[in-house]
Amino acid sequence: MARYTGPLCRLCRAEQRKLFLKGDRCKSDKCPINKKRPMPGKDPKARIGKRSDYGTMLREKQKLKRTYCMLEKQFRLFFDRALRMPGISGENLIGLLESRLDNVVFRMHFAVNRNQARQIVQHGHVRVNGKPVNIPSYLVRPGDTVEIKEASKTLTVVKDALKEVSKSGVYPWLSVDEDGMKGTFVSVPRREDVTDLADIREQLVVELYSK
């Protein structure tokens, strides 16, 4: 599966927003956004000015796509699927992205970031409803149980990530059994529940792809 392998902090600098791609580092003083480092490029100041409508829509799409660690082709497939669903396309898109297995593993605190969650899934450490699933883009449905398989419960990365449950709690659309290393995807989250995307205007993504 194709994936971005370049410097992750550069993506945050490009969007001038924390994308939380590196776990605890994003919360530390080492984060380039906390250091107020400029956009990447030889002369970023020369590119700062009044942004066109297209440029604004493009940046919203890039922020959303990069937050979920996806490349363009796969992101567009998810958008096309959201467009065919009844309801508001932008909210449908957020719901689909939140239902991805790698994202659910991250949200349940089995991994410190989505890239690590994708690796855990691909390496076969995760089961859905008791069956092994190694496809990060697998869509979890309401009521599905996601768990770390028995042989993988000794993984240090999972144990360390689960410490975040006691610190920041669990999202309202999930339930997590920290000791059993499993959780339930209770429901597809409402748009207002995904608070870490409050500054992203998904409707502009819809307008961009509709051009």
Side-chain angles (χ1 to χ4, degrees), residues 9 12-18 25-26 28-40 44-45 48:
C9 289
C12 295
R13 289 170 55 207
E15 305 305 335
Q16 288 296 290
R17 175 188 186 273
K18 286 191 178 188
R25 181 185 175 89
C26 299
S28 71
D29 294 335
K30 295 180 180 180
C31 174
I33 301 300
N34 288 342
K35 291 182 177 180
K36 297 184 179 179
R37 291 187 59 188
M39 297 171 64
K45 291 183 179 180
I48 297 176

Side-chain angles (χ1 to χ4, degrees), residues 119-184:
Q119 188 176 49
I120 288 173
V121 172
Q122 287 180 321
H123 287 188
H125 299 301
V126 175
R127 293 181 181 272
V128 179
N129 296 330
K131 298 179 180 180
V133 179
N134 61 0
I135 303 172
S137 61
Y138 175 88
L139 290 179
V140 182
R141 297 179 179 181
D144 284 354
T145 299
V146 178
E147 62 183 330
I148 302 298
K149 71 177 186 180
E150 196 64 36
S152 304
K153 289 183 177 180
T154 57
L155 288 174
T156 303
V157 291
V158 178
K159 289 181 177 180
D160 289 344
L162 275 168
K163 294 177 182 177
E164 191 66 26
V165 173
S166 59
K167 295 180 182 178
S168 57
V170 181
Y171 292 92
W173 62 92
L174 304 169
S175 66
V176 176
D177 176 4
E178 186 178 355
D179 296 328
M181 293 189 180
K182 63 181 179 180
T184 302

Side-chain angles (χ1 to χ4, degrees), residues 38-140:
M39 297 171 64
K42 292 183 178 180
D43 189 11
K45 291 183 179 180
R47 299 197 303 274
I48 297 176
K50 184 175 176 59
R51 186 172 286 164
S52 67
D53 291 341
Y54 178 83
T56 300
M57 291 186 287
L58 179 63
R59 291 268 59 86
E60 292 301 308
K61 188 262 290 185
Q62 293 293 80
K63 283 191 289 187
L64 189 59
K65 183 182 75 173
R66 288 169 170 174
T67 295
Y68 287 93
C69 304
M70 299 170 70
L71 297 184
E72 179 63 29
K73 184 176 181 180
Q74 191 179 37
F75 187 81
R76 182 58 191 260
L77 290 174
F78 268 71
F79 173 80
D80 289 341
R81 182 166 182 167
L83 204 60
R84 295 192 298 268
M85 296 168 60
I88 302 174
S89 299
E91 294 184 5
N92 292 340
L93 178 59
I94 298 295
L96 286 174
L97 295 174
E98 284 293 324
S99 300
R100 282 173 56 97
L101 180 57
D102 56 355
N103 180 75
V104 173
V105 168
F106 164 66
R107 293 291 197 191
M108 287 183 173
H109 301 300
F110 297 152
V112 296
N113 55 57
R114 290 182 177 87
N115 280 320
Q116 188 183 82
R118 174 175 294 187
Q119 188 176 49
I120 288 173
V121 172
Q122 287 180 321
H123 287 188
H125 299 301
V126 175
R127 293 181 181 272
V128 179
N129 296 330
K131 298 179 180 180
V133 179
N134 61 0
I135 303 172
S137 61
Y138 175 88
L139 290 179
V140 182

Side-chain angles (χ1 to χ4, degrees), residues 186-203:
V186 178
S187 63
V188 177
R190 296 176 301 174
R191 177 62 183 93
E192 57 268 26
D193 290 335
V194 191
T195 53
D196 55 345
L197 300 182
D199 64 326
I200 290 182
R201 295 169 289 174
E202 67 278 359
Q203 184 56 34

